[in-house]
């Protein structure tokens, strides 16, 4: 089943509580890195993971 | 902590107080609530040592930890693109028997950003062998003629229909999506939904047959393809 939007970004961010945001590989479901804010997670992903 | 010891002498009275009965009052080993402590059917063969450490089954209130407002913030997305516009939201449940909890997962998304899944948890006691059921009661309407909608997605259960919650994957999933990938204009979805959960064990529902619910949540999704905005005010004549 298709969940979420159709984008070319192979990652999702999982929020488990107010200060835990984990970048996860959407294909392998492997945790990449965890941050305390959504902004920090997004910045890391766009800077270091997405070409 | 259970009134019933994990070893040694064990009494029917301890079982009775564990399920909320008054100490010293009449009780039978075949009472539904006593059998419910160990998930036995009426008339089944039972021995006292099966009750060692048994706890009365219970389910905590809706999404008691994690993002406890689940699913909120949720359901509001508006996205405009010259080529491909999509806005949507989803909500799903899963039983995590390893951690004795029900998981709620929810997301609101658009085609211009990475998906963010938020999680909330609802703990339980003594319900590992229960059947958890989820339900959504919704009324969502579509407007616009361009593009398409999932209202909801084909795999989402119909409104007001109890569905067994999986212990291995997020299922059921309810998802609403508005998409415009050709032509020009806006496609929207608007409405409200209330999600429910309950557990069934040996003929008893937890917390009851109505279940816990999320409260009413609004859905407002809008996808616009094209660069033209709404018309401006008229100029002087």
């Amino acid at each position: 089943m298709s969940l979420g939007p159709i984008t070319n970004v192979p990652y999702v961010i999982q929020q488990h509580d107010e200060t835990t945001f984990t970048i996860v590989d959407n294909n392998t479901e492997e945790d990449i890195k965890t941050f305390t804010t959504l902004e920090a997670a997004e910045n890391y992903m766009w800077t270091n993971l997405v070409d | 902590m259970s009134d019933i010891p994990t070893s040694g002498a064990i009494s029917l009275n301890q079982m009775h107080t564990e399920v909320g009965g008054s100490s010293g009052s009449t009780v039978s080993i075949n009472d539904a609530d006593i059998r419910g402590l160990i998930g036995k059917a009426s008339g089944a063969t039972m021995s006292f040592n099966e009750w060692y450490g048994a706890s009365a089954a219970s389910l905590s209130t809706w999404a008691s930890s994690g993002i406890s407002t689940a699913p909120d913030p949720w359901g509001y997305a508006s996205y405009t693109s010259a080529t491909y516009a999509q806005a949507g939201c989803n909500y799903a449940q899963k039983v995590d028997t390893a951690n004795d909890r029900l998981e709620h997962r929810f997301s609101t998304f658009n085609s211009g950003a990475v998906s963010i899944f938020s999680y909330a948890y609802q703990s339980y006691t003594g319900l590992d062998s229960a059947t958890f059921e989820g339900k959504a009661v919704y009324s969502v309407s579509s407007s616009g003629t361009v593009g398409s909608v999932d209202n909801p997605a084909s795999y989402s259960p119909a409104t007001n229909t109890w569905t067994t919650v999986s212990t291995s994957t997020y299922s059921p999933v309810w998802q609403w999506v508005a998409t415009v990938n050709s032509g020009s204009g806006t496609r929207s979805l608007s409405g409200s939904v209330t999600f429910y959960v309950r557990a069934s064990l040996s003929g008893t529902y937890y917390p009851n047959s109505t279940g816990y619910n999320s409260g009413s949540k609004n859905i407002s999704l809008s996808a616009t393809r094209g660069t033209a905005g709404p018309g401006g005010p008229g100029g002087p004549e």
Side-chain angles (χ1 to χ4, degrees), chain B residues 123-155:
Chain B
S123 60
Y124 63 75
T125 300
L127 292 173
D128 270 351
S129 58
T131 298
F132 283 79
E133 295 176 307
K135 181 177 79 169
V137 178
Y138 52 85
S139 175
V140 180
S141 58
S142 167
S143 60
T145 55
V146 296
S148 61
V149 292
D150 288 349
N151 184 23
S154 58
Y155 48 75

Side-chain angles (χ1 to χ4, degrees), chain B residues 20-21 25 37 52-53 62 65 78 119 121-122 133 141-142 155 159 165 185 210 218 220-221 226 236:
Chain B
S25 60
L37 284 169
Y52 277 138
W62 181 269
S65 65
S78 178
Y119 295 79
Y121 309 99
Q122 191 168 350
E133 295 176 307
S141 58
S142 167
Y155 48 75
T159 185
V165 180
T210 304
N218 291 326
S220 179
L221 303 168

Side-chain angles (χ1 to χ4, degrees), chain B residues 134-138 152-163 173-174 176:
Chain B
K135 181 177 79 169
V137 178
Y138 52 85
S154 58
Y155 48 75
S156 300
T159 185
N160 203 21
T161 304
W162 287 107
T163 304
V173 178
W174 290 271
W176 288 266

Side-chain angles (χ1 to χ4, degrees), chain B residues 127 131 133 162 198-211:
Chain B
L127 292 173
T131 298
E133 295 176 307
W162 287 107
R198 70 184 181 187
S200 172
L201 180 66
S202 302
T204 300
Y205 284 108
Y206 299 87
N208 50 49
S209 60
T210 304

Side-chain angles (χ1 to χ4, degrees), chain A residues 1-7 9 11-18 38 42 45-46, chain B residues 66-67 84 86 90 105 109-111 113-119 121 155 173 175:
Chain A
M1 84 182 51
S2 173
L3 278 183
I6 300 170
T7 69
V9 180
Y11 304 98
V12 299
I13 295 174
Q14 296 183 346
Q15 180 188 17
H16 292 279
D17 59 40
E18 301 295 346
L38 174 59
E42 288 184 311
M45 188 185 69
W46 293 117
Chain B
I67 309 302
Y84 183 90
Q86 187 178 65
N90 58 55
R105 187 190 69 181
F109 56 85
N110 68 63
S111 50
V114 63
S115 289
I116 301 166
F117 287 102
S118 299
Y119 295 79
Y121 309 99
Y155 48 75
V173 178
Q175 176 163 285

